């Protein structure tokens, strides 16, 4: 039975034992499509997160996808091009059920303006990373990553935790909404600025944000009191970051950590320039794109200049994956890249071992299934401090949105082991339904993104997109259920290529084989990618875990 969804009543949360499709694999993908809309930011317009990341190109395309998933046999493959179903071909029962390519524009043409024009003509849509691939699980999707970043900074600079520390950030959207909770879990007093009061309220309603301050003075007083008491606290403030950051700097306040997760990648549909209301921005999106782009960029210049100012005065400042430095540099801030990217600064040693954001969703809709898998994780990896600490915290702090789900940063061999054990639990009737396994596209072998994931790679291979393409082809031959290749849209156009994968644990022997091949090969490629770039951690992993990487003499 689907569950009521108070946030978006028209988009119930899927669940229950009844199948509408001809098998659990097809039903699972249908539920994942429903799920990304049930937890999305603007499901009426098919928008899931990151300003324009969509689940399907149009409502007609959505209807076609639902029909195909409902009617298809297990030996067919549904082909999706930029969010639109284009064919249902005969393959075989071990082939993927769904293959997608979303928003891949030929290099010379891969620019924001071309993307907007193709979108206007209804020829393309951007899938974000996990939106178009039906893998988005709400703000939890990035929460462990954000938490781990905060903890790496805490270890390096603040003696192990963020108690008594002030974190300043902006953006309370689909992904940025994870920041207040991640900051609080790390012990900080965190101030999150967002221009849209609705977004702030939403995060408060679902338990990710504690307080909303009526104005900047009150917000800073609340933060100051929490810092003095070494009390974890998250405070939202409705305002424009391009005004609030410089004002905080002008007052001589130096936060301990500064970042930003507004949709700065998209100057038209994402970032809101200072001095403009949300309504004004919406109007300009249709007939004033040039004006809007110029105004957004000018505000980002002020926003990033304030971030650089904080950095000069001692704050730990980093780019959280939204291209804000790139936009600022194009606007004339020549030293914008003095701000490091979070991947290179904090997480690369994990990615080099293919440890990354793995996640799973209980297709039954039952929270108890996630609790049982949490127990299993603790049993399987008692010595893995990152995992045991995370599961303890997540159980206490992370509320479920949509299908109950969990994220945990696991690496090569670990993901396969967990997923196969979960498949056995499904087979034994210990869980109430099958489980879908997936991961973020921001994963070791899965993404080429020279300003985020692959910035300043040791061997200079930042812009080479062969890796995600090999990943996708390999995953099709490794029996994954859904395989997708994404490239950037909106402001990300021309900046990235990534691969996504989903595999369903329905308790069958065939699922065991699929999980084994797809998940093992996926992380093996991640280790190979970093080994090939010369990272010691990856070379160590090759030896320790017998990864089949071919070393040349
Ligand atoms: P979103 O569009 O759902 O939310 C963006 C938020 O920024 C909105 O709430 C909007 O009101 C706010 N905003 C826009 N301009 C502002 C301004 N000038 N001042 C204050 N608030 C402003 O996007 P999202 O899904 O939360 O993603 C945010 C950004 O992070 C995107 O660029 C996305 O691609 C990126 N991202 C990075 C990672 C990562 O790997 N670290 C993961 C996911 C998303």
């Amino acid at each position: 039975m689907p569950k009521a969804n108070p946030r978006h009543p028209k988009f119930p949360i899927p669940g229950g034992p009844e199948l509408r499709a001809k098998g659990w694999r097809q039903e699972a993908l249908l539920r994942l499509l429903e799920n990304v809309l049930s937890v999305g930011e603007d499901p009426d317009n098919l928008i899931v997160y990151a300003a324009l990341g969509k689940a399907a190109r149009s409502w007609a395309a959505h209807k076609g996808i639902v029909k195909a998933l409902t009617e298809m046999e297990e030996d067919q493959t549904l082909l999706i091009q930029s969010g639109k179903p284009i064919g249902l071909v005969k393959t075989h029962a071990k082939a993927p059920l769904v293959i997608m390519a979303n928003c891949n524009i030929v290099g010379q043409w891969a620019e924001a303006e071309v993307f907007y024009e193709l979108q206007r003509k209804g020829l393309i849509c951007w899938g974000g990373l996990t939106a178009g691939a039906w893998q988005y699980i709400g703000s939890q999707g990035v929460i462990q990553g954000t938490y781990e970043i905060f903890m790496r900074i805490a270890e390096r600079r603040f003696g192990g935790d963020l108690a008594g520390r002030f974190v300043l950030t902006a953006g309370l959207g689909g992904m940025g909404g994870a920041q207040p909770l991640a900051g609080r879990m790390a012990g900080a007093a965190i101030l999150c600025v967002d221009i849209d009061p609705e977004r702030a309220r939403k995060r408060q309603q679902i338990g990710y944000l504690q307080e909303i301050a009526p104005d900047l003075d009150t917000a800073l007083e609340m933060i100051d009191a929490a810092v003095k008491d070494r009390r974890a606290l998250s405070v939202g403030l409705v305002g424009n970051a391009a005004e609030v950051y410089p004002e905080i700097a002008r007052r001589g306040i130096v936060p301990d950590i500064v970042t930003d997760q507004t949709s700065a990648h998209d100057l038209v549909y994402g970032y809101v320039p200072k001095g403009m209301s949300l309504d004004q921005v919406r109007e300009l999106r249709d007939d004033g794109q040039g004006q809007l782009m110029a105004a957004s960029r000018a505000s980002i210049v002020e926003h990033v200049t304030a971030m650089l100012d904080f950095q000069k005065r001692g704050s730990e400042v980093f780019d959280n994956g939204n291209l804000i430095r790139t936009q600022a540099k194009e606007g004339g801030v020549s030293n914008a890249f003095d701000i490091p990217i979070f991947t290179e600064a904090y997480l690369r040693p994990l990615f080099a071992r293919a440890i990354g954001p793995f996640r799973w969703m209980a297709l039954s809709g039952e929270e108890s299934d996630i609790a049982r898998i949490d127990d299993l994780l603790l049993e399987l990896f008692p010595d893995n401090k990152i995992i045991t600490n995370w599961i303890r915290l997540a159980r206490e702090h992370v509320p479920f949105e949509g299908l109950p789900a969990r994220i945990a940063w696991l690496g090569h061999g670990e993901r396969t082991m967990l997923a196969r054990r979960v498949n056995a639990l499904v087979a034994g009737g210990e869980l109430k339904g099958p489980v879908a396994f997936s991961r973020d596209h921001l994963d070791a072998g899965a993404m080429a993104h020279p300003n985020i994931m692959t910035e300043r790679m040791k061997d200079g291979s930042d812009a080479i997109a062969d890796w995600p393409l090999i990943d996708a082809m390999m995953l099709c031959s490794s029996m994954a259920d859904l395989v997708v290749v994404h490239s950037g849209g909106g402001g990300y156009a021309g900046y990235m290529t990534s691969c996504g994968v989903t595999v369903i644990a329905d308790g069958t022997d065939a699922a065991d084989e699929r999980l084994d091949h797809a998940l093992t090969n996926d992380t093996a490629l991640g280790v190979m990618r970093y080994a090939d770039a010369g990272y010691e951690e990856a070379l160590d992993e090759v030896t320790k875990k017998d990864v089949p990487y071919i070393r040349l003499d």
Side-chain angles (χ1 to χ4, degrees):
M1 259 310 202
K3 284 193 190 133
N5 181 3
R7 230 180 108 190
H8 301 302
K10 278 196 286 171
F11 298 88
I13 300 159
E18 298 85 20
L19 300 192
R20 295 151 301 171
K22 293 188 174 167
W24 254 116
R25 292 171 68 207
Q26 299 93 312
E27 175 72 23
L29 297 180
L30 180 58
R31 290 186 187 197
L32 295 181
L33 168 60
E34 290 167 335
N35 189 50
V36 294
L37 290 172
S38 80
V39 295
E41 290 301 294
D42 179 12
D44 288 318
N45 290 307
L46 291 157
I47 287 174
V48 179
Y49 77 106
L52 270 189
K54 289 175 88 173
R57 200 188 306 176
S58 62
W59 280 109
H62 176 271
K63 194 171 160 198
I65 293 169
V66 170
K67 184 170 186 297
L69 288 173
T70 312
E71 293 175 357
M72 71 191 288
E73 303 291 340
E74 244 198 320
D75 60 358
Q76 290 182 299
T77 297
L78 171 61
L79 309 175
I80 294 185
Q81 179 261 324
S82 282
K84 186 178 118 178
I86 50 156
L88 194 53
V89 293
K90 174 103 169 76
T91 49
H92 53 84
K94 289 187 176 183
L97 283 173
V98 175
I99 290 176
M100 305 173 162
N102 289 330
C103 205
N104 299 282
I105 303 177
V106 172
Q108 285 288 333
W109 286 265
E111 294 170 356
E113 288 82 353
V114 176
F115 165 80
Y116 294 133
E117 180 60 12
L118 292 171
Q119 182 184 243
R120 200 185 54 73
K121 290 181 176 161
L123 295 174
I124 205 165
C125 84
W126 183 47
L129 300 180
T130 54
W134 318 330
Q135 294 157 339
Y136 180 73
I137 58 168
S139 300
Q140 191 188 162
V142 287
I143 194 166
Q144 194 192 353
T146 312
Y147 170 79
E148 297 300 341
I149 293 170
F150 287 152
M151 292 314 288
R152 292 297 88 75
I153 298 173
E155 282 157 15
R156 278 188 210 169
R157 287 194 54 177
F158 303 118
D161 72 24
L162 294 183
R165 301 292 163 185
F166 170 19
V167 180
L168 171 65
T169 188
L172 287 169
M175 295 275 88
Q179 299 178 104
L181 185 51
R184 187 153 64 90
M185 288 163 92
I190 180 166
L191 176 60
C192 307
V193 184
D194 199 295
I195 190 65
D196 186 347
E198 200 42 49
R199 303 292 188 113
R201 266 197 297 275
K202 220 179 253 181
R203 300 304 153 216
Q204 196 179 33
Q205 260 167 21
I206 61 170
Y208 272 70
L209 174 69
Q210 287 173 294
E211 310 278 349
I212 299 176
D215 52 51
L216 178 60
D217 291 341
T218 316
L220 290 172
E221 277 164 26
M222 290 163 86
I223 292 289
D224 195 41
V227 165
K228 285 196 178 113
D229 300 346
R230 298 174 61 78
R231 177 166 43 87
L233 177 71
S234 57
V235 179
L237 174 69
V238 177
N240 195 306
E243 285 167 341
V244 174
Y245 281 37
E247 174 57 22
I248 294 177
R250 197 192 59 74
R251 294 183 187 196
I253 298 169
V254 183
D256 296 290
I257 299 174
V258 180
T259 187
D260 171 72
Q261 218 168 14
T262 58
S263 272
H265 71 277
D266 193 317
L267 302 177
V268 176
Y269 292 87
Y271 195 83
V272 176
K274 77 175 201 186
M276 278 195 201
S277 70
L278 291 170
D279 283 340
Q280 282 171 315
V281 167
R282 279 184 204 116
E283 261 171 46
L284 286 173
R285 279 176 186 158
D286 290 333
D287 54 13
Q289 276 188 6
Q291 185 191 342
L292 196 49
M293 285 176 95
S296 290
R297 202 185 295 288
S299 285
I300 287 176
V301 163
E302 292 183 56
H303 189 157
V304 170
T305 302
M307 290 171 78
L308 285 162
D309 192 13
F310 286 129
Q311 187 185 45
K312 233 188 275 155
R313 292 200 251 161
S315 305
E316 178 83 15
V317 182
F318 66 92
D319 177 318
N320 204 1
N322 60 354
L323 284 200
I324 196 161
R325 300 168 307 165
T326 314
Q327 305 285 17
K329 191 166 181 198
E330 281 178 31
V333 185
S334 57
N335 63 336
F337 278 72
D338 286 357
I339 297 172
I341 184 72
F342 72 98
T343 41
E344 197 214 356
Y346 314 113
L347 301 181
R348 191 152 288 165
L350 294 178
F351 284 128
R353 292 187 188 275
I355 297 170
F358 189 51
R359 77 271 288 270
W360 49 95
M361 291 141 267
L363 297 163
S364 63
E366 298 295 334
E367 294 179 8
S368 59
D369 284 356
I370 295 297
R372 177 68 188 89
I373 302 173
D374 283 347
D375 291 339
L376 177 64
L377 257 181
L378 296 173
E379 265 167 49
L380 290 177
F381 307 110
D383 302 325
N384 182 333
K385 279 215 182 76
I386 291 185
I387 288 300
T388 51
N389 177 45
W390 171 250
I391 293 300
R392 185 180 56 74
L393 278 169
R395 282 185 139 167
E396 191 183 331
H397 295 283
V398 179
F400 292 119
E401 299 172 74
L403 281 176
R406 182 68 80 220
I407 182 148
W409 280 50
L410 291 173
H412 182 59
E414 296 170 340
R415 298 184 190 186
T416 313
M417 186 200 295
L418 175 75
R420 294 182 69 190
R421 287 288 296 271
V422 167
N423 194 51
L425 292 183
V426 177
E430 284 192 57
L431 298 180
K432 299 217 166 61
V435 174
F437 285 92
S438 182
R439 57 158 171 70
D440 196 358
H441 294 208
L442 186 106
D443 203 27
M447 179 183 270
H449 198 328
N451 277 179
I452 298 184
M453 184 62 172
T454 49
E455 182 165 316
R456 300 206 318 160
M457 289 293 286
K458 212 171 179 174
D459 62 345
S461 58
D462 307 18
I464 295 176
D466 293 341
W467 298 98
L469 298 179
I470 291 175
D471 200 15
M473 291 185 279
M474 178 192 72
L475 286 164
C476 288
S477 357
S478 303
M479 298 177 249
D481 285 299
L482 178 148
V483 182
V484 57
V485 177
H486 277 179
S487 287
Y492 282 128
Y495 280 96
M496 56 151 289
T497 295
S498 68
C499 159
V501 59
T502 300
V503 195
I504 312 303
D506 61 4
T508 58
D509 289 345
D512 183 64
E513 192 184 10
R514 277 194 293 272
L515 292 162
D516 190 12
H517 285 251
L519 300 181
T520 305
N521 292 344
D522 190 41
T523 45
L525 183 74
V527 175
M528 292 178 204
R529 197 267 175 269
Y530 282 85
D532 211 58
Y535 286 85
E536 289 305 322
E537 294 91 342
L539 291 162
D540 179 53
E541 206 73 356
V542 166
T543 311
K544 263 196 351 218
K545 295 193 175 163
D546 210 13
V547 175
Y549 171 60
I550 298 173
R551 291 182 206 228
L552 300 183
D553 299 327

